[in-house]
Amino acid sequence: MIKLITDHPEYANDIAEEIRLFYSNTEVDIVSSDDTLRDGDVIISVFLKSDGREWISDAHYRGLYGTRVENYDYSYTMPAVNGSELIVKRYEKRCVKVAVFRLLKGIFKDNNTPWGSLTGIRPTRLLRELTGELGESGAMRTMTDMFDVSNEKLSLAKQICDAQSPVLATQTQDDVDVYVGIPFCRTKCMYCSFASCVRTKKTDMAAYIDALCRDIEFGAQIVCESGRKVRSMYVGGGTPTVLTAQELNRVLECAIEAYGGYGNEFTVEAGRPDTIDREKLEIIRSFGAKRISINPQTMNQRTLHLVCRDHTVEDIFNCYDLARDVGFEVINMDVIVGLPEETINDVGNTFERIYELAPNNLTVHTLAIKRSSALKSQLGNYNLAQAEEVERMVELGYATAQRLGLHPYYMYRQKYMSGNLENVGYAADGCDCIYNIDMMEDTTTIMAHGAGAMTKVMFDAERRVERIPNPKDIGTYIAKVAKLAEEKRAMFTRG
């Protein structure tokens, strides 16, 4: 058992994330004192003090292994930072996290930690903020010297920041991106932890769509009242094409009419090939969407069956050809590396098949084992690639993107990722997805509709984000649509 003692409990969850870089999928218990150790227990304590000029974070490790007690210490010092409460907390948190990371890295030297002490979702946002504060060379130096990021990952982050710069430069404070969520799928993938439901014959889709359209209409009115303008629109899931053609037409028509258009870009996640047909693709295209996703995740039939995706590799090729025939200019394909039972050869086969199709966008995800996924409860039944092999799989994705002439343009990280790695989106020149950049970098206000969707408003002066999550439960969402609109209106007024 891992136990944590700290005099700053407000940072306990952040410290626990550092610990999990070295103890994957392990619960960390917050305790108030140095409890009696049992065999195999570890207590990590971290304390922060200041003399007014410097912050000093002292981290200590105490572990019991049989009759042997191991003790290790690390102390990290950084200049004290003055400013708002938000700024002070940000830097205090950095101080304690670095101390714990370096304590554990000194003990577990062979652990794969290419992103160093960074545990947040958006390392590129951090690099961009540091560049604004310290200049490019100062930011790069801080990423390596303070956060211990590897040169390879720092180079990737820099490439992505450079690719995003012209897109972010077109933003204004009045921009808003619109998200429409369809949290339903044909089946639940083994690795999935999203708030999505399997659509069955008993699913009351009409009630959900009625509520969704009301949500959209409320949201469009709020955006109009706030003087904002739509920058992009994104329809995601779940799997939006799990809707019938008539249902899909109604949702898209509602969104376009309510907002008076989609701004500069309209994307629909068609997603799974077993939900796509020509009629649905033609409906999507008729509303102006030029971007869709057709997501295989793997091109190995055995794995598709294992992870509960009931389509074939041939279906993927057929849907791709159909989408091109209907006139879609940009097609994204998602791949997950590190799936159960897959080897480096299996992943190599997937990327070779992707290369044959030559999509304009390729998103390479690293498997994240989430608590609410079916995979989490069945881990003992399957072989999973080790960190070093997963890293080679990720490198295959990068190499394939290069062969296709695609550049990395957005990235995010998740908890419990294999090898402590990342998810990266690649795009051909001119095919970067505006919504993906805006959403991942937390730079643009987002009005979100649908169960489980997250509305957020940016407060640029403070680099602060306020959020309103829609309920994940379908029934609760339907009942709260009007109340959610009131909350959104109040938040947009403050913004």
Side-chain angles (χ1 to χ4, degrees), residues 215-410:
D215 188 2
I216 290 169
E217 289 161 0
F218 284 141
Q221 185 177 11
I222 293 166
V223 167
C224 180
E225 290 170 356
S226 69
R228 289 176 169 85
K229 67 180 190 302
V230 176
R231 173 170 160 90
S232 74
M233 184 176 289
Y234 192 101
V235 181
T239 308
T241 43
V242 78
L243 300 178
T244 66
Q246 292 73 24
E247 292 166 344
L248 183 62
N249 188 85
R250 182 185 172 195
V251 170
L252 298 185
E253 183 177 50
C254 174
I256 295 299
E257 288 187 357
Y259 281 97
Y262 53 78
N264 301 312
E265 174 188 275
F266 189 14
T267 305
V268 178
E269 285 186 13
R272 290 173 53 148
D274 48 346
T275 65
I276 298 171
D277 60 31
R278 178 177 287 274
E279 183 180 11
K280 293 178 187 179
L281 290 175
E282 288 178 343
I283 288 170
I284 294 169
R285 190 69 190 86
S286 72
F287 285 102
K290 298 178 181 178
R291 306 178 59 95
I292 61 168
S293 292
I294 298 173
N295 300 329
Q297 313 302 5
T298 176
M299 288 289 200
N300 298 292
Q301 192 61 53
R302 172 177 52 87
T303 311
L304 287 171
H305 177 73
L306 177 65
V307 300
C308 305
R309 292 177 73 87
D310 56 356
H311 61 81
T312 67
V313 173
E314 184 180 4
D315 290 337
I316 298 165
F317 277 79
N318 291 339
C319 284
Y320 185 93
D321 290 341
L322 181 60
R324 288 297 192 203
D325 187 57
V326 168
F328 286 97
E329 299 173 12
V330 182
I331 298 177
N332 173 73
M333 306 195 85
D334 281 8
V335 171
I336 300 176
V337 303
L339 288 170
E341 303 293 340
E342 287 214 334
T343 66
I344 190 73
N345 291 333
D346 294 322
V347 173
N349 174 65
T350 291
F351 284 124
E352 284 301 319
R353 306 303 298 275
I354 294 289
Y355 181 75
E356 292 174 29
L357 290 171
N360 318 73
N361 287 65
L362 171 64
T363 308
V364 180
H365 297 268
T366 304
L367 179 67
I369 302 170
K370 296 301 187 68
R371 295 180 188 177
S372 58
S373 68
L375 177 59
K376 171 66 174 175
S377 62
Q378 301 172 27
L379 279 178
N381 299 334
Y382 304 104
N383 293 315
L384 294 177
Q386 297 302 302
E388 294 77 11
E389 188 172 16
V390 175
E391 192 159 14
R392 289 171 58 207
M393 294 172 177
V394 168
E395 289 168 358
L396 276 178
Y398 182 72
T400 302
Q402 286 188 311
R403 290 171 65 197
L404 290 168
L406 312 181
H407 60 266
Y409 80 98
Y410 85 99

Side-chain angles (χ1 to χ4, degrees), residues 407-431:
H407 60 266
Y409 80 98
Y410 85 99
M411 169 177 58
Y412 67 103
R413 302 182 68 220
Q414 296 171 279
K415 296 178 182 179
Y416 315 116
M417 293 186 77
S418 299
N420 297 316
L421 294 165
E422 68 283 326
N423 305 319
V424 179
Y426 300 91
D429 291 345
C431 295

Side-chain angles (χ1 to χ4, degrees), residues 127-147:
L127 178 58
R128 185 177 296 106
E129 290 174 353
L130 289 171
T131 300
E133 296 171 11
L134 307 171
E136 183 176 306
S137 60
M140 301 287 276
R141 188 165 54 250
T142 298
M143 292 287 278
T144 54
D145 294 352
M146 177 184 286
F147 298 112

Side-chain angles (χ1 to χ4, degrees), residues 49-61:
K49 58 187 177 183
S50 174
D51 61 5
R53 294 171 301 157
E54 293 180 326
W55 287 328
I56 304 100
S57 183
D58 294 317
H60 179 72
Y61 172 103

Side-chain angles (χ1 to χ4, degrees), residues 53-82:
R53 294 171 301 157
E54 293 180 326
W55 287 328
I56 304 100
S57 183
D58 294 317
H60 179 72
Y61 172 103
R62 183 166 174 251
L64 178 63
Y65 304 95
T67 59
R68 185 180 83 258
V69 177
E70 295 186 0
N71 289 280
Y72 301 91
D73 295 286
Y74 186 86
S75 184
Y76 180 71
T77 301
M78 64 182 287
V81 174
N82 296 315

Side-chain angles (χ1 to χ4, degrees), residues 427-489:
D429 291 345
C431 295
D432 301 29
C433 179
I434 294 171
Y435 177 84
N436 281 340
I437 294 174
D438 291 355
M439 187 264 294
M440 289 301 174
E441 298 303 313
D442 259 357
T443 57
T444 308
T445 292
I446 294 180
M447 176 63 82
H449 307 294
M454 179 76 73
T455 294
K456 55 186 181 182
V457 173
M458 305 297 136
F459 295 82
D460 287 340
E462 301 169 282
R463 288 198 323 216
R464 179 170 60 86
V465 183
E466 285 192 20
R467 295 174 171 85
I468 294 178
N470 289 351
K472 296 179 181 179
D473 177 75
I474 302 299
T476 305
Y477 164 73
I478 291 172
K480 291 189 68 176
V481 165
K483 186 175 186 300
L484 287 165
E486 294 174 8
E487 294 175 8
K488 292 175 183 177
R489 178 172 279 107

Side-chain angles (χ1 to χ4, degrees), residues 92-159:
E92 282 185 345
K93 186 163 60 177
R94 286 181 186 176
C95 191
V96 296
K97 289 177 67 176
V98 169
V100 172
F101 173 81
R102 292 188 179 174
L103 169 74
L104 295 174
K105 187 65 177 176
I107 301 168
F108 304 103
K109 295 180 174 63
D110 294 332
N111 263 57
N112 190 49
T113 52
W115 286 103
S117 63
L118 298 185
T119 58
I121 296 172
R122 304 171 177 88
T124 44
R125 180 182 179 184
L126 174 62
L127 178 58
R128 185 177 296 106
E129 290 174 353
L130 289 171
T131 300
E133 296 171 11
L134 307 171
E136 183 176 306
S137 60
M140 301 287 276
R141 188 165 54 250
T142 298
M143 292 287 278
T144 54
D145 294 352
M146 177 184 286
F147 298 112
D148 300 291
V149 176
S150 71
N151 289 332
E152 178 190 12
K153 296 306 178 187
L154 181 55
S155 174
L156 174 62
K158 176 66 166 56
Q159 288 179 66

